[in-house]
Amino acid sequence: MPIVERSLVEVDRTDQLELEGIDVSGDWNTFLRSRVSVDLDTKIADWVKGHPQGDTISRCWQCGTCTAGCCMHTDFGLEEFNPRYFIYLAQVGYEDELKRYANTVWRCVSCNKCVERCPKGVKVEEVVHTIGSYLTSSGLAPESPADRFDRAYTDNLLERGILDEANLFRTYERMEGRKTPTRELLRMGLALLRSGRLHTGPLAHRTRGWSRMRSVLKAQLAEDARRMGSTSSSPSPARGDRR
Ligand code: SF4
Ligand code: SF4
């Protein structure tokens, strides 16, 4: 069904014919006024498209199927979380309006229902996250906890080629300005050690030959950041580029 904005419909009636109280004049001279978007700005869409996770944004034809099935929007009742609308704002470049959703846009739980349902093959979940990254990278939104966790995770992994869970936990706590009581830490740590799920300190795995791999990865990350910086207004890589 076409999407028609009422304000764009122009009805040119010459007669107001009524028959027994019923309007029978018909709308024969109904026109749609042309819509010219003078303030269209492709800066955001170009930025999003420039990232592997966002390259399907231009396929979206605004049918709304993603939002209708989105669990955040429907099941959890967060009506302002509207992936179709986020994509629309990015497509037309309404940065000020998009900024209003700087915190909401991160509420996606990555269930991927939208991706399954999109008739145009838009990778909605990834596109929405990339739009969030645009806001963060451009300084329009504060860095989200998810971004900080990504950073801590990547740095931790780069160090030895395998996660040191305890170290990751400590780093992330520091970033968030939190401090779990020592007693609670010990209780968790011992439980994890007993179940064999904690690899830290002398118990941590090592990845053979990792230092060479690390320098290759670091060079690639630096190159990604440089490339993104030259194609966008921001030098920061999108969240998820590291994944
Ligand atoms: S379902 Fe796909 S095409 Fe439809 S609005 Fe969502 S992203 Fe766009
Ligand atoms: S992946 Fe995110 S945007 Fe898509 S349906 Fe799930 S919560 Fe909604």
Side-chain angles (χ1 to χ4, degrees):
M1 194 202 294
I3 300 170
V4 173
E5 289 177 29
R6 191 174 285 276
S7 63
L8 295 175
V9 178
E10 190 175 287
V11 180
D12 179 19
R13 267 186 201 170
T14 48
D15 296 314
Q16 191 73 36
L17 298 178
E18 273 191 31
L19 188 61
E20 296 178 354
I22 297 170
D23 180 0
V24 292
S25 58
D27 287 342
W28 305 113
N29 293 330
T30 297
F31 297 95
L32 284 186
R33 280 199 293 271
S34 66
R35 179 171 53 178
V36 180
S37 190
V38 286
D39 53 352
L40 182 75
D41 184 349
T42 61
K43 182 182 75 172
I44 305 176
D46 290 343
W47 192 95
V48 173
K49 262 190 284 186
H51 293 75
Q53 293 79 19
D55 58 0
T56 54
I57 188 174
S58 46
R59 289 190 206 162
C60 174
W61 62 7
Q62 291 290 302
C63 67
T65 309
C66 51
T67 299
C70 170
C71 61
M72 285 311 290
H73 184 82
T74 54
D75 303 334
F76 295 118
L78 185 63
E79 282 185 21
E80 65 175 25
F81 186 88
N82 185 334
R84 178 204 63 76
Y85 190 49
F86 299 152
I87 292 174
Y88 169 73
L89 295 176
Q91 281 178 330
V92 295
Y94 291 167
E95 198 170 74
D96 284 345
E97 174 70 358
L98 194 58
K99 224 163 53 176
R100 292 181 52 219
Y101 300 94
N103 292 322
T104 316
V105 80
W106 293 111
R107 303 291 292 276
C108 167
V109 292
S110 299
C111 66
N112 271 284
K113 269 166 77 180
C114 50
V115 180
E116 291 295 322
R117 294 178 177 195
C118 175
K120 293 286 285 173
V122 179
K123 291 184 262 171
V124 190
E125 182 260 352
E126 294 186 357
V127 169
V128 167
H129 278 119
T130 312
I131 291 171
S133 291
Y134 170 82
L135 291 171
T136 310
S137 304
S138 314
L140 299 171
E143 194 180 39
S144 74
D147 275 317
R148 285 192 287 276
F149 186 80
D150 260 13
R151 204 146 44 82
Y153 187 98
T154 309
D155 292 345
N156 186 296
L157 201 59
L158 275 176
E159 201 49 40
R160 279 192 302 210
I162 195 157
L163 272 188
D164 180 334
E165 293 92 344
N167 194 23
L168 173 62
F169 185 78
R170 275 196 304 273
T171 312
Y172 183 62
E173 276 222 312
R174 223 176 15 251
M175 283 174 161
E176 294 300 312
R178 284 194 320 227
K179 192 159 169 29
T180 306
T182 315
R183 233 169 79 185
E184 180 62 12
L185 276 179
L186 282 173
R187 193 192 62 75
M188 273 195 312
L190 282 175
L192 287 168
L193 273 173
R194 278 199 205 102
S195 63
R197 293 189 182 160
L198 185 62
H199 307 104
T200 189
L203 299 174
H205 299 297
R206 311 253 160 214
T207 306
R208 198 176 297 162
W210 179 249
S211 56
R212 281 173 60 202
M213 181 59 91
R214 182 174 48 213
S215 46
V216 171
L217 285 174
K218 280 191 170 173
Q220 184 59 48
L221 286 173
E223 170 60 20
D224 282 354
R226 193 199 57 73
R227 191 166 49 84
M228 290 310 165
S230 66
T231 58
S232 73
S233 58
S234 154
S236 307
R239 176 177 178 239
D241 276 3
R242 296 164 172 164
R243 286 184 293 188

